[in-house]
Amino acid sequence: MTTGRRWEYHRYDPRTERLVESLCTLGNGRFATRGSAPESVADDIHYPGTYLAGCYNRLDSAVGGRTVSNEDMVRLPDWTALRYRCLPEGAPPGDWLTPDHPSLRHSRVSLDLRAGTLTRRMLFHDADGRRLGVTHTRLVHMGDPNLAAQSTVFRAYGWSGRIEIESLIDGDVTNAGVDRYRALAGRHLVEHRAGVQAEGTAWLSCATTTSRVRIGLAVRTSMRPRAPVRVACTATTASQTFLPPIERAAPVVVVKTAALCSSLDRPVADPLRRSIDCATHAPDFASLLASHRASWQRLWSEGELNVPGETGKVLRLHAFHVLQTLSPHTAELDAGVPARGLHGEAYRGHVFWDELFVLPYLALHFPETARGLLTYRHRRLRAALEAARRAGAKGAMFPWQSGSSGYEETQRLHLNPRSGRWLPDHSHLQRHVGSAIAWNVWQYGRATGDAGFMHGAGAELLLHIAHFWADAATWDTGLDRYRIRGVVGPDEYHDGYPGAAAAGIDDNTYTNVTAAWVLARALDLYGELPAARRAELLTRLGIGPDDLTVWEDVSRRLFVPFHRDVISQFDGYGDLAELDWDGYRARYHDIRRLDRILEAEGDTPNRYQASKQADTLMLGYLFRPTELEQLFLRLGYHLDDGLWRRTVDYYLRRTCHGSTLSSLVHGWVLAREQGPDAWRYCQEALLSDITDVQGGTTGEGIHLGAMGGTLDLVERGIVGLESRGDGLHIDPVPLSAVPGSSFSICRLGHRDVRVRFRPGRLGISVPPSARGPVPLVLPGGRQERVSAGQERWFRLPGG
């Protein structure tokens, strides 16, 4: 499947075509196009789709006797569409050819990760011995974020005549890429107009129904050899049909050069007029390909993670998709981190907490992109403040799912496809998303030293989130502790107590501990601010010095529940029934979506000690062991290695890994514990999308958090790299399956600081510059420095 820097599929299989389309998506951080065959249309096998970052629309649907409103990332018109059929001399016209045509004999899909191109090669062979070779090469330009192009080469073997080729822009599209959403409204585009300019550039304009985003799409189709063209347009399509001659020594080449513009672009311009101008005056395909490759070469020089063997190939694919979704272009957009990338319609294209797993990598390699994504959150701070106010709370309450506006977009009903029932959805009670945002702000500040951001937008985010947690905590005189009630933790399976009328559980450990951490860091940052800025923020938050005393108290006295000498996932978790794990595995084999299984049986996971994914153990992902120990100590609890190991083992046996993030977190935690099963979980995280471990979900869009998290697993987890104010901290956790790695990072203005990790050895090289040396803090607190223009190697413990 993989060779060098290519990702390949050597045969066509309709059962896995949706998976191939997702994993072969091309994008540039602004828009992306799925890796579908140009001949295909949306059906049960194929799903061509193009998506624009930040382009959402709201529709109402009738579900279960209720009207529900959903905001979705919008599927845009298809610019890739190309139909063709053979017209042999002296023979009737053939059928339109597609990958599903019975005359297909060979098929190969090749994703060039280094160049950012997708190539599909097909060979059709009819009953009379005539063969047609077809090669499509596609790019979504990484240099010019408005452009994309597709070159198709036709070669005739054993026949001559003509080939009929129809180049289309298809605007008759709906959001229908996720089976469980089929009952929901999906026609987001209206006001279609289509046409073809005199010079041959086809165009289409449309707008979203409620968000009123205007789309302009133009495609310049060029043909070699030149051939007469027949134009046909409807309201939703523009087509150009050619009949060029073809023979063995004279291939036919068709190039579609597309320009996508929208009213979201800055500076504001007419999207249609701008798209026509961009497409008409775009360079030829060879020039576009050269500049596109040069842009990817620059990205790889800053963002590539080199690891030997098959693991390295998968990590390169993961980096490729992270960089396609969140490229340097993203820094200029008002866009967040869509959990499923720009690769499909799962989760409706919403933003969750997945930046928690992606931003650490971006902050080290592409700090401008990381800052842009945090700015997306800051722009939605007003919505978070309003959400808290409506809930009767203070501070900023960020939504679990969001899209264009920053308001809560979590559905209030969800479909269980196993039972066919629509059920209440309480996942909006996952208030911990605010802590994830605060953690990313803090990590970004430590990695970059960007005081301008931290004293500005960063301080506002961190302090408003801390204000929410201080207000959410209520005092319990019996426990002599603060408590946070009525929430849902990362686990998601437990959204209430068995038989309780109200939703939510109390004192989720992950929520409480991270809330205490946020309060402590907010106080730290507040103390670093200039006096005038501190006064301004206190006024804007509506708090006084006495309130900060309360913040300090809450940060030290939040309740953490325990049971059976382990940390409880939430208060009362230990009182729940034990699940018959062996019995359910024997009956259902795959129990990752245990919640759906239990609901279909008339039961609920609320009754059991059974978790969908890492919850309490997420603390081991965010904090290194010494940090976690100090955090518990601040709260007045003793956390030693034995307690943590018992807790890890306890939840490992009670987690069904219904999320791709679960295996990532468990692998990370076990690697730090030197657990024997660490690599098994790490490997599952690496393979989760390419093998589609969730059973069909990858075809609906990749899992961006899991992909970004595997990169972070190597850099922060195994190499143990942390960028802090006093230097680069290195505290490796060797994993035999990943014997070495190398990558370049940014450090306080230094770009291309090269890190090379080998068993027992560490190499650091700093490029020549006028900046000072890069300080290092090695295991045991050993301090070293590497000057600009210098390379040094260090021995590590055990080396």
Side-chain angles (χ1 to χ4, degrees):
M1 183 176 289
T2 61
T3 57
R5 299 182 187 276
R6 295 179 183 271
W7 197 263
E8 297 188 330
Y9 298 90
H10 293 281
R11 67 186 183 91
Y12 172 72
D13 185 345
R15 296 170 299 179
T16 59
E17 184 65 6
R18 288 279 183 104
L19 171 72
V20 173
E21 290 177 350
S22 283
L23 292 179
C24 292
T25 293
L26 297 179
N28 58 20
R30 179 177 172 271
F31 77 97
T33 295
R34 285 170 59 85
S36 53
E39 305 86 350
S40 65
V41 296
D43 56 24
D44 291 338
I45 297 171
H46 309 277
Y47 197 71
T50 291
Y51 305 95
L52 178 67
C55 183
Y56 293 92
N57 188 60
R58 184 178 303 283
L59 293 175
D60 292 338
S61 306
V63 175
R66 296 172 54 184
T67 298
V68 297
S69 178
N70 288 300
E71 186 180 64
D72 293 77
M73 183 170 68
V74 178
R75 180 183 173 214
L76 298 182
D78 181 16
W79 65 271
T80 69
L82 195 74
R83 296 202 304 169
Y84 51 88
R85 58 182 175 178
C86 300
L87 304 176
E89 293 178 352
D95 298 328
W96 295 107
L97 296 176
T98 72
D100 303 288
H101 196 275
S103 66
L104 180 70
R105 292 294 178 266
H106 300 288
S107 176
R108 180 176 177 177
V109 178
S110 180
L111 180 65
D112 187 332
L113 303 177
R114 175 60 57 180
T117 58
L118 174 65
T119 301
R120 277 182 177 263
R121 293 181 174 88
M122 295 180 290
L123 180 65
F124 298 93
H125 194 165
D126 69 15
D128 296 315
R130 291 182 288 258
R131 291 176 294 159
L132 179 70
V134 183
T135 301
H136 303 291
T137 303
R138 183 184 300 168
L139 62 88
V140 174
H141 206 280
M142 189 56 79
D144 187 326
N146 294 104
L147 293 180
Q150 177 178 279
S151 170
T152 303
V153 180
F154 299 96
R155 289 184 170 86
Y157 303 99
W159 66 281
S160 62
R162 293 186 177 273
I163 182 167
E164 184 178 0
I165 301 169
E166 185 178 17
S167 174
L168 300 101
I169 302 177
D170 183 6
D172 187 17
V173 296
T174 62
N175 278 43
V178 180
D179 285 346
R180 59 189 176 280
Y181 302 163
R182 292 286 176 86
L184 304 176
R187 191 164 290 277
H188 292 278
L189 299 177
V190 293
E191 301 174 14
H192 293 78
R193 293 187 300 123
V196 178
Q197 297 291 98
E199 64 273 19
T201 299
W203 56 267
L204 185 144
S205 70
C206 54
T208 55
T209 60
T210 55
S211 59
R212 305 308 300 165
V213 177
R214 291 178 293 120
I215 303 296
L217 176 62
V219 176
R220 184 187 75 203
T221 302
S222 59
M223 173 79 59
R224 193 179 74 242
R226 295 176 65 88
V229 58
R230 185 175 71 251
V231 173
C233 298
T234 69
T236 59
T237 63
S239 72
Q240 296 165 281
T241 302
F242 306 84
L243 281 170
I246 187 169
E247 55 187 53
R248 182 170 184 177
V252 172
V253 181
V254 180
V255 175
K256 300 185 70 172
T257 304
L260 176 63
C261 300
S262 83
S263 58
L264 298 174
D265 297 339
R266 298 293 180 269
V268 176
D270 178 66
L272 178 58
R273 181 177 299 176
R274 186 159 182 256
S275 67
I276 293 172
D277 184 64
C278 288
T280 302
H281 296 100
D284 61 22
F285 187 79
S287 299
L288 284 173
L289 182 59
S291 57
H292 173 68
R293 284 174 168 166
S295 295
W296 265 107
Q297 185 176 1
R298 177 181 62 85
L299 282 187
W300 283 126
S301 72
E302 298 179 14
E304 186 164 20
L305 172 59
N306 291 300
V307 171
E310 290 298 320
T311 296
K313 295 175 183 176
V314 177
L315 287 168
R316 190 172 294 113
L317 177 73
H318 288 185
F320 180 77
H321 284 297
V322 170
L323 294 177
Q324 290 197 119
T325 309
L326 307 169
S327 81
H329 297 301
T330 311
E332 305 300 321
L333 305 177
D334 185 32
V337 180
R340 304 300 285 273
L342 299 173
H343 297 60
E345 294 159 17
Y347 301 164
R348 300 184 176 86
H350 288 172
V351 175
F352 292 71
W353 69 329
D354 296 73
E355 64 223 64
L356 185 69
F357 302 91
V358 178
L359 256 69
Y361 165 79
L362 293 175
L364 287 173
H365 296 272
F366 301 95
E368 296 84 2
T369 304
R371 178 174 176 152
L373 293 167
L374 291 172
T375 302
Y376 164 87
R377 290 295 193 178
H378 182 255
R379 291 191 187 106
R380 284 149 183 79
L381 182 56
R382 185 179 299 277
L385 293 168
E386 175 65 16
R389 187 192 65 78
R390 289 181 179 179
K394 298 176 182 178
M397 185 175 76
F398 280 89
W400 175 234
Q401 296 186 37
S402 61
S404 61
S405 66
Y407 290 103
E408 182 66 76
E409 296 296 342
T410 303
Q411 66 276 4
R412 295 308 170 101
L413 294 174
H414 69 269
L415 174 68
N416 180 358
R418 185 177 286 271
S419 69
R421 288 189 283 266
W422 288 89
L423 309 165
D425 191 315
H426 302 298
S427 57
H428 65 280
L429 295 175
Q430 292 190 74
R431 307 302 187 204
H432 61 82
V433 68
S435 295
I437 295 168
W439 189 85
N440 276 323
V441 168
W442 189 259
Q443 289 294 114
Y444 169 81
R446 293 207 307 180
T448 64
D450 186 350
F453 178 82
M454 292 302 291
H455 288 187
E460 293 176 12
L461 283 167
L462 197 56
L463 268 69
H464 278 295
I465 294 167
H467 196 194
F468 171 76
W469 285 130
D471 185 65
T474 58
W475 180 252
D476 187 310
T477 55
L479 287 175
D480 200 30
R481 287 273 182 178
Y482 290 97
R483 308 185 68 181
I484 298 176
R485 299 176 180 270
V487 300
V488 171
D491 160 43
E492 296 185 344
Y493 275 1
H494 296 89
D495 62 357
Y497 289 100
I505 47 90
D506 300 334
D507 300 306
N508 172 252
T509 290
Y510 175 81
T511 301
N512 284 17
V513 172
T514 55
W517 179 88
V518 170
L519 287 160
R521 297 294 76 77
L523 290 168
D524 289 344
L525 181 57
Y526 174 80
E528 297 173 5
L529 298 174
R533 179 60 168 156
R534 289 202 301 268
E536 179 189 23
L537 284 171
L538 290 186
T539 301
R540 291 177 65 176
L541 267 69
I543 65 175
D546 291 343
D547 294 295
L548 296 181
T549 303
V550 174
W551 289 23
E552 176 78 20
D553 193 45
V554 175
S555 76
R556 294 182 179 276
R557 302 180 71 180
L558 270 166
F559 176 53
V560 176
F562 294 81
H563 73 278
R564 302 180 200 168
D565 208 19
V566 300
I567 304 168
S568 295
Q569 184 170 303
F570 54 81
D571 188 38
Y573 185 87
D575 299 329
L576 301 179
E578 291 282 10
L579 184 77
D580 179 9
W581 291 95
D582 291 338
Y584 273 90
R585 287 192 177 98
R587 288 161 58 193
Y588 293 100
H589 305 294
D590 184 351
I591 60 169
R592 286 183 176 88
R593 291 311 306 263
L594 181 65
D595 57 332
R596 294 175 176 174
I597 292 172
L598 290 171
E599 192 279 328
E601 292 183 345
D603 207 343
T604 170
N606 283 333
R607 296 182 54 235
Y608 301 100
Q609 295 183 44
S611 298
K612 174 184 178 181
Q613 59 186 309
D615 191 300
T616 304
L617 301 192
M618 270 295 301
L619 295 171
Y621 177 80
L622 296 186
F623 307 109
R624 299 188 75 81
T626 54
E627 292 178 290
L628 192 57
E629 180 182 343
Q630 292 167 3
L631 187 50
F632 269 69
L633 186 62
R634 179 186 177 92
L635 286 166
Y637 298 101
H638 177 67
L639 175 64
D640 57 24
D641 291 344
L643 173 58
W644 181 247
R645 288 195 188 99
R646 288 191 300 275
T647 301
V648 171
D649 183 63
Y650 187 87
Y651 290 106
L652 274 174
R653 299 197 306 268
R654 292 167 173 82
T655 304
C656 64
H657 307 293
S659 163
T660 55
L661 295 172
S662 189
S663 55
L664 168 69
V665 174
H666 283 89
W668 180 293
V669 169
L670 286 172
R672 282 182 173 169
E673 297 295 317
Q674 296 292 289
D677 291 331
W679 178 242
R680 177 169 69 86
Y681 287 101
C682 293
Q683 191 173 42
E684 182 170 318
L686 283 165
L687 301 179
S688 58
D689 267 333
I690 66 175
T691 60
D692 201 9
V693 297
Q694 298 290 330
T697 63
T698 302
E700 303 167 349
I702 61 163
H703 296 82
L704 193 66
M707 286 189 169
T710 59
L711 306 174
D712 193 33
L713 169 67
V714 175
E715 295 180 349
R716 282 199 317 120
I718 296 173
V719 179
L721 178 68
E722 300 275 357
S723 186
R724 303 181 188 174
D726 58 345
L728 288 176
H729 286 240
I730 308 288
D731 188 12
V733 179
L735 198 62
S736 60
V738 185
S741 61
S742 64
F743 47 90
S744 295
I745 64 169
C746 298
R747 167 66 189 177
L748 300 183
H750 287 285
R751 300 192 85 91
D752 198 28
V753 176
R754 192 73 180 170
V755 179
R756 295 177 176 86
F757 177 67
R758 303 289 183 269
R761 300 176 66 218
L762 176 76
I764 303 288
S765 61
V766 180
S769 78
R771 297 184 180 277
V774 173
L776 302 177
V777 181
L778 301 178
R782 173 184 163 197
Q783 297 187 358
E784 299 283 354
R785 300 166 78 85
V786 183
S787 299
Q790 185 182 31
E791 179 178 8
R792 294 186 64 187
W793 283 85
F794 305 94
R795 289 201 173 276
L796 300 172

